[in-house]
Amino acid sequence: MRTVVIDTGLYLACSVLNRRSGGKPNRMVVLDALPVQLGATLVTSGAVVVEAAQHTSSYLRQAPSSWERDRAAAFFSWFFVAVRLHELAAPTVLAAVENVSRCRQDMAPGSRRRSAPTVSDGLTAEVLRDVQAAILISDDGKDFGALLPDCDFEQLSVTEALRLAGAG
Amino acid sequence: MEPEQNRGGRPRRYARRTVAKSVPLDPAIYDELVRRSPNNISRAVNDLLADALEQDKVREAVHEMARLLDVEIDTDVSAKAAAEFEAIFQRVERRRADRAARSAVA
């Protein structure tokens, strides 16, 4: 099965939270081309759903009108119909957290904290391993490379994915 | 105590529903179903319908998101993008097949 794992970046790029997405149909093309045209399955981790919910929730608090709030909430719901949440077994979650700790320990002393993989990255990496996805769309390419040294997949940054879809 | 299986050997309170209707199939479709699942055509039909319904849900979600953004997706652009992604899928599949073949030899 053709599977693509995504992280929070694609949600932010395509959603109503992104002012630049307004009126630009090509930002939606990634979501049309992969699952609708190719029949590929878009999947993500629970951590990404939580991150997207946090971004949406903070937008809801400052949205200028109830119409905007409803629109953002509806977009969030529909997005995670198109993108399937992949559940991980408890031992896999533990392995993911251990993998993140190991990666952080292996990082050169003095390297910037900003570039260290997060638990959310670790969980999304385990989803990728679990479903044997061929493509990862994420802006944290280096982190995923460190978390999954033995997996064969291709990474696209959100910008690259949008560029492939003619929206770069 | 209530037996765990019904007389048909299925779990009690079996959740599936049987459609009591004969559905004429085109011969080519019938042959394809037999090829896919020789001993259980209803399983093949179930799997195909499940995929189609899932695909419909995704299509509806993409349509609704486009409506919320007030945009119309250009299907030509979308098809071109699909071809770009398809090339990546094929590249990864080739690499994985090569690796599997190498480890089978080793």
Side-chain angles (χ1 to χ4, degrees):
Chain A
M1 184 182 285
R2 301 185 153 190
T3 312
V4 178
V5 170
I6 66 147
D7 82 356
T8 320
L10 188 66
Y11 172 75
L12 294 175
C14 296
S15 78
V16 292
L17 276 55
N18 183 345
R19 287 198 192 121
R20 285 177 302 165
S21 68
K24 289 190 173 179
N26 284 1
R27 290 201 167 251
M28 281 289 299
V29 162
V30 176
L31 296 174
D32 187 62
L34 282 163
V36 177
Q37 303 269 345
L38 279 184
T41 308
L42 299 181
V43 297
T44 197
S45 66
V48 166
V49 183
V50 170
E51 282 182 354
Q54 285 172 330
H55 285 289
T56 307
S57 168
S58 86
Y59 175 81
L60 295 182
R61 283 197 300 276
Q62 56 184 336
S65 67
S66 63
W67 182 78
E68 292 286 351
R69 275 195 294 279
D70 291 348
R71 201 166 71 112
F75 192 95
F76 173 81
S77 300
W78 284 115
F79 188 87
F80 289 105
V81 172
V83 178
R84 195 164 53 77
L85 166 64
H86 181 78
E87 282 184 36
L88 294 170
T92 312
V93 173
L94 178 59
V97 174
E98 288 190 314
N99 194 16
V100 169
S101 305
R102 205 168 24 247
C103 275
R104 288 180 168 201
Q105 278 168 2
D106 290 349
M107 286 177 67
S111 58
R112 287 184 305 124
R113 166 74 179 77
R114 177 79 182 81
S115 64
T118 62
V119 169
S120 172
D121 295 335
L123 292 169
T124 308
E126 288 305 320
V127 167
L128 190 144
R129 196 198 302 272
D130 231 25
V131 300
Q132 297 185 320
I135 301 176
L136 167 72
I137 300 177
S138 167
D139 283 331
D140 297 324
K142 275 187 186 167
D143 292 339
F144 282 96
L147 288 163
L148 297 163
D150 53 340
C151 283
D152 188 355
F153 62 97
E154 295 208 8
Q155 293 190 30
L156 292 172
S157 68
V158 173
T159 311
E160 285 168 333
L162 292 173
R163 188 178 48 73
L164 273 187
Chain B
M1 198 172 140
E2 200 177 23
E4 288 180 4
Q5 291 188 333
N6 63 20
R7 284 186 299 168
R10 288 181 165 147
R12 282 192 70 81
R13 305 181 200 290
Y14 189 57
R16 289 193 183 174
R17 300 283 185 275
T18 302
V19 179
K21 166 119 180 85
S22 70
V23 180
L25 298 174
D26 287 349
I29 292 176
Y30 177 80
D31 290 346
E32 179 61 22
L33 291 173
V34 171
R35 191 190 65 77
R36 287 184 188 207
S37 188
N39 301 318
N40 197 342
I41 290 182
S42 68
R43 164 60 58 85
V45 171
N46 263 281
D47 289 349
L48 286 170
L49 286 176
D51 281 352
L53 291 171
E54 181 66 30
Q55 190 68 9
D56 249 22
K57 261 176 25 185
V58 170
R59 212 178 284 273
E60 184 190 4
V62 171
H63 171 82
E64 287 297 325
M65 283 189 282
R67 188 183 62 77
L68 289 164
L69 285 175
D70 198 21
V71 296
E72 204 164 305
I73 295 170
D74 183 333
T75 48
D76 287 343
V77 175
S78 188
K80 208 172 150 197
E84 300 272 5
F85 286 115
E86 173 68 20
I88 300 178
F89 279 121
Q90 286 186 7
R91 206 158 55 219
V92 175
E93 277 166 19
R94 256 196 318 272
R95 274 204 314 265
R96 287 179 179 177
D98 287 350
R99 181 179 292 186
R102 275 201 307 274
S103 51
V105 168

